[in-house]
Amino acid sequence: MALQQVVEQTVIGLGYDLVEIERSAGGLLRITIDLPWVAPAADAPAPLLEQFVTVEDCEKVTRQLQFALEVDGVEYKRLEVSSPGIDRPLRHEQDFVRFEGSVIDITLKAPMGAAAAGQVSANRKKFRGTLERAEAGGWQIVWRDEPAVKPGQKVSKKRAPAPLQALGFTLDELRDARLAPIVDFKGRANKAGQDPA
């Protein structure tokens, strides 16, 4: 049985989602798992706390995978099972639905080229912005190219914000898509794009 199939059957059988399988030099086999996500019903109240993968979840999957991989004769030197972390990769359509409204980083397979129409560099492949549904169907990322602010520099409140830009894309056009690793050490995280009251 192929590695992907063995790992997928084991992880899903234990009630988790398989996010990623990675083989590294030195025989390291890294498996990334997440809790399954079901789209909330339109009239359902929002959950009070988002659930996360725990150390106990990783231990449970590790024990079961060690057994399953041994039975199937898969060679590896070290097995590592972990949660996806704050820069979780987005691979499937369901991931994009789940994280709609979040700030993400995307890398295109090919540069923008003529499609950029002078709005951004024709060679640009990387973007950070808010993930949204595109009006024409599919997905888009929306951002502002604000000039960088130097530490200690005061920014005038009268300065007009940079215009919003949007880039529509299909999953086939992406080399990589991840949640942007944004950490707020000042307290509760704000929703993307909202100023604290």
Side-chain angles (χ1 to χ4, degrees), residues 18-161:
L18 176 63
V19 176
E20 196 169 43
I21 298 176
E22 200 180 330
R23 273 194 181 269
S24 299
L28 172 64
L29 180 59
R30 183 177 292 130
I31 311 296
T32 307
I33 62 170
D34 203 355
L35 298 176
W37 179 78
V38 178
D43 58 348
L48 296 175
L49 290 173
E50 188 175 347
Q51 300 292 312
F52 297 101
V53 171
T54 65
V55 172
E56 290 78 18
D57 294 325
C58 294
E59 287 174 357
K60 178 176 159 186
V61 172
T62 299
R63 281 193 299 276
Q64 195 63 36
L65 273 175
Q66 285 171 332
F67 175 74
L69 294 170
E70 186 177 325
V71 166
D72 280 45
V74 175
E75 288 191 33
Y76 66 94
K77 285 201 166 73
R78 203 172 86 218
L79 176 64
E80 182 181 290
V81 177
S82 66
S83 70
I86 62 173
D87 63 341
R88 182 196 199 283
L90 307 178
R91 301 252 187 268
H92 310 287
E93 181 73 22
Q94 182 174 333
D95 295 338
F96 286 83
V97 172
R98 177 179 180 178
F99 294 106
E100 182 178 349
S102 298
V103 177
I104 66 167
D105 292 324
I106 64 169
T107 304
L108 301 173
K109 289 179 182 172
M112 294 289 297
Q119 298 283 326
V120 296
S121 167
N123 296 327
R124 187 169 176 182
K125 289 185 188 180
K126 295 184 176 197
F127 298 86
R128 174 176 281 186
T130 305
L131 175 65
E132 297 180 355
R133 282 250 181 230
E135 287 179 23
W139 296 99
Q140 68 180 9
I141 187 169
V142 178
W143 77 96
R144 291 182 198 273
D145 279 329
E146 295 284 357
V149 178
K150 295 177 184 162
Q153 179 182 1
K154 296 201 181 220
V155 179
S156 169
K157 294 197 186 271
K158 294 178 185 174
R159 184 176 79 177

